[in-house]
């Protein structure tokens, strides 16, 4: 028998936990059936336990099926089973399928995170992988080192939605999910799943899976950069005024090397002064409680030598000043060619000032980036690529935000 791959560190085991069990004769091509059964267990959840849902596993040899318990737990013992295995659970709440990959006997959960991790590992839609699993391809793609790198990619990709840095193992970290009978029963991992569910729409999750399957990089320095490519970085605004503890929204426009796709925009934000306030991963700046002149820098991660710096004047609380802002719901979006999307912007208004319409103007940075009307109704071009949509305040023209549009 060809030995199963071992992870050698925290990515041990593989699979789900709970009630019932099943065996079968279906198998992935190749391998020899071992004499003992293959035990798989774990928890299926999206923040809320997935209860009463069918769980199916297809292994190198053997297959099995079971149903999750009320707390999302399930267990399988596959007679004659040998890894690797591909698992799938069908969530009856939305009919969405979640997946995981097992390269050993043991524990692996079925969550949106395991689905994203598996997608990144296989660089393919996991429903297709489950339909026709290839043991040789799985063994090549799923190793201890590739799991570690894929998890880092997913963690980076989801930074704007949740901090996953403390979750060292998406697959087999014990998971206690909230249930309909006990909504507060969830553990720390369950709360992370809740955060993702609250902040990511179904469409955004689908886009993330597509990018994880197809993107060549997450936003880190390129191993073999194209020396003929000239990277660009534009920071907006370059100067701004804000009251103490006030907020500003910065944005960056970047271009990309040919045939290179990123899961997120490869930029890093920072405040130059130790007491100069703070800035989020999305470029949302919060001023300090002390007046002065401070600086925000944005740096490309794939081309670290390229950066830009904005100057911010923070006024004292004794000199009240209206601080306009301009925010958009997302800084990067993935669309199919020709698809429509409705952008929206959030702004504030000076005291006593009223407008007939929202004083914002939507435009396209590239001439071939599709079409957009004055209300933000956008139609993507038919040509795949990376484009940019810009929104600017008419009353405060220095305030603008650029949204990255990835057309598949």
């Amino acid at each position: 028998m060809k030995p199963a791959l071992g992870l050698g560190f925290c990515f041990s085991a593989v699979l789900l936990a709970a009630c019932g069990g099943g065996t079968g004769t279906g198998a992935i091509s190749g391998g020899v059936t071992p004499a003992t059964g293959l035990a798989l267990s774990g928890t299926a959840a999206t923040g809320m336990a997935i209860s009463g849902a069918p769980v199916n596993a297809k292994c190198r040899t053997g297959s099995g099926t079971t149903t999750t318990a009320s707390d999302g737990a399930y267990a399988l013992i596959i007679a004659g089973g040998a890894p690797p295995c591909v698992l799938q659970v069908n969530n009856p709440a939305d009919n969405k399928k979640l997946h995981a990959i097992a390269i050993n006997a043991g524990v692996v959960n079925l969550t949106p995170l395991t689905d994203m991790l598996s997608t990144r590992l296989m660089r393919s839609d996991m429903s297709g992988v489950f339909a026709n699993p290839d043991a040789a391809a799985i063994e090549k793609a799923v190793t201890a080192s590739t799991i570690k790198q894929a998890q880092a990619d997913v963690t980076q990709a989801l930074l704007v939605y949740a901090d996953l840095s403390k979750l060292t193992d998406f697959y087999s970290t014990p998971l206690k999910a909230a249930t309909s009978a006990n909504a507060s029963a969830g553990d720390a991992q369950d709360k992370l799943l809740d955060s993702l569910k609250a902040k990511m729409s179904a469409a955004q999750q689908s886009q993330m899976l597509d990018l994880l399957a197809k993107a060549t990089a997450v936003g880190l320095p390129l191993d073999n950069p194209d020396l003929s490519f000239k990277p660009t970085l534009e920071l907006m605004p370059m100067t701004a005024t804000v009251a103490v503890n006030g907020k500003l929204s910065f944005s960056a426009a970047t271009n990309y090397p040919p045939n290179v796709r990123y899961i997120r925009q490869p930029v890093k934000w920072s405040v130059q002064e130790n007491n100069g306030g703070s800035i989020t991963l999305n470029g949302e700046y919060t001023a300090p409680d002390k007046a002065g002149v401070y600086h925000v820098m944005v740096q490309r991660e794939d081309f670290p030598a390229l950066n830009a710096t904005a100057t911010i004047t923070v006024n004292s609380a004794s000199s009240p000043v209206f601080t306009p802002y301009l925010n958009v719901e997302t800084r990067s979006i993935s669309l199919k060619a020709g698809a429509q999307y409705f952008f929206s912007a959030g702004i504030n208004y000076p005291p006593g000032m009223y407008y007939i319409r929202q004083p914002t103007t939507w435009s396209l940075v590239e001439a071939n980036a599709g079409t957009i009307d004055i209300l933000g109704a956008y139609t993507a071009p038919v040509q795949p690529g990376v484009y940019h949509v810009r929104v600017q305040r008419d009353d405060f023209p220095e305030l603008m935000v650029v949204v990255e549009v990835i057309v598949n």
Side-chain angles (χ1 to χ4, degrees):
M1 178 184 74
K2 183 176 181 179
L5 293 173
L7 292 180
F9 58 112
C10 64
F11 295 102
S12 59
V14 189
L15 265 6
L16 333 92
C19 67
T23 61
T25 58
I28 304 176
S29 60
V32 178
T33 303
T36 58
L38 178 68
L40 305 171
S41 62
T43 300
T46 60
M48 183 69 69
I50 301 176
S51 63
V55 175
N56 294 284
K58 295 180 180 179
C59 303
R60 175 188 292 280
T61 60
S63 62
T65 185
T66 189
T67 302
T68 59
S70 60
D71 62 354
Y74 54 97
L76 281 168
I77 298 179
I78 302 175
C85 303
V86 184
L87 289 92
Q88 176 177 277
V89 62
N90 188 45
N91 187 356
D94 55 12
N95 204 33
K96 295 290 180 63
K97 296 177 175 62
L98 299 175
H99 303 86
I101 296 173
I103 58 175
N104 315 87
V107 176
V108 77
N109 301 312
L110 283 167
T111 70
L113 290 176
T114 70
D115 198 42
M116 292 180 190
L117 177 58
S118 301
T119 298
R120 187 61 177 165
L121 285 164
M122 298 306 299
R123 302 297 176 96
S124 181
D125 174 63
M126 283 304 299
S127 291
V129 174
F130 178 79
N132 296 289
D134 183 331
I138 294 171
E139 284 188 335
K140 183 178 180 180
V142 185
T143 66
S145 60
T146 61
I147 290 174
K148 185 176 181 179
Q149 181 58 56
Q151 179 155 321
D153 288 350
V154 175
T155 299
Q156 284 285 329
L158 296 175
L159 273 176
V160 297
Y161 300 105
D163 180 6
L164 304 176
S165 60
K166 294 182 180 179
L167 183 59
T168 58
D169 179 356
F170 288 178
Y171 276 142
S172 60
T173 297
L175 168 59
K176 183 178 181 181
T179 66
S180 56
N182 189 353
S184 61
D187 59 12
Q189 185 177 176
D190 179 78
K191 289 177 172 58
L192 287 175
L193 294 173
D194 283 333
S195 178
L196 288 178
K197 191 174 183 179
K199 295 180 179 180
M200 295 185 75
S201 66
Q204 288 173 320
Q205 289 196 31
S206 177
Q207 293 159 9
M208 182 62 70
L209 288 170
D210 183 64
L211 286 171
L212 287 168
K214 298 177 182 178
T216 54
V218 179
L220 304 178
L222 299 177
D223 292 330
N224 298 294
D226 181 353
L227 297 180
S228 65
F229 172 72
K230 303 301 180 184
T232 62
L233 174 64
E234 182 182 2
L235 171 61
M236 295 163 287
M238 291 298 293
T239 60
T241 300
V242 64
V244 293
N245 300 315
K247 295 182 181 296
L248 288 172
S249 180
F250 289 91
S251 63
T254 55
N255 62 342
Y256 297 95
N259 302 316
V260 173
R261 297 181 61 190
Y262 294 95
I263 295 173
R264 64 173 178 84
Q265 188 181 39
V267 297
K268 178 173 64 177
W269 298 91
S270 62
V271 179
Q272 297 301 95
E273 294 79 14
N274 291 333
N275 61 345
S278 61
I279 193 163
T280 70
L281 295 166
N282 274 338
E284 301 296 332
Y285 172 76
T286 300
D289 56 7
K290 183 179 180 180
V293 177
Y294 305 97
H295 301 87
V296 162
M297 185 176 79
V298 62
Q299 181 181 31
R300 283 194 66 151
E301 294 175 298
D302 49 351
F303 297 92
L306 195 60
N307 60 71
T309 301
T311 300
I312 307 163
T313 301
V314 176
N315 290 326
S316 66
S318 60
S319 303
V321 61
F322 171 72
T323 304
Y325 66 76
L326 172 64
N327 294 322
V328 294
E329 58 186 5
T330 182
R331 296 298 182 88
S332 180
I333 187 169
S334 178
L335 299 173
K336 292 183 178 180
Q340 283 194 316
Y341 187 84
F342 295 92
F343 288 98
S344 61
I347 68 172
N348 60 344
Y349 298 93
M353 187 71 71
Y354 301 93
Y355 295 94
I356 297 175
R357 67 169 183 86
Q358 187 184 59
T360 56
T361 296
W362 295 89
S363 61
L364 304 173
V365 175
E366 297 86 6
N368 61 341
T371 61
I372 193 165
D373 67 16
I374 60 174
L375 297 178
Y378 174 72
T379 301
V382 296
Q383 180 66 34
V386 179
Y387 305 95
H388 300 87
V389 169
R390 177 168 51 209
V391 60
Q392 184 174 23
R393 283 195 65 152
D394 300 330
D395 49 351
F396 297 93
E398 70 278 8
L399 292 183
M400 65 181 72
V401 174
V402 175
V403 180
E404 179 183 71
V405 180
I406 302 170
V407 177
N408 301 314

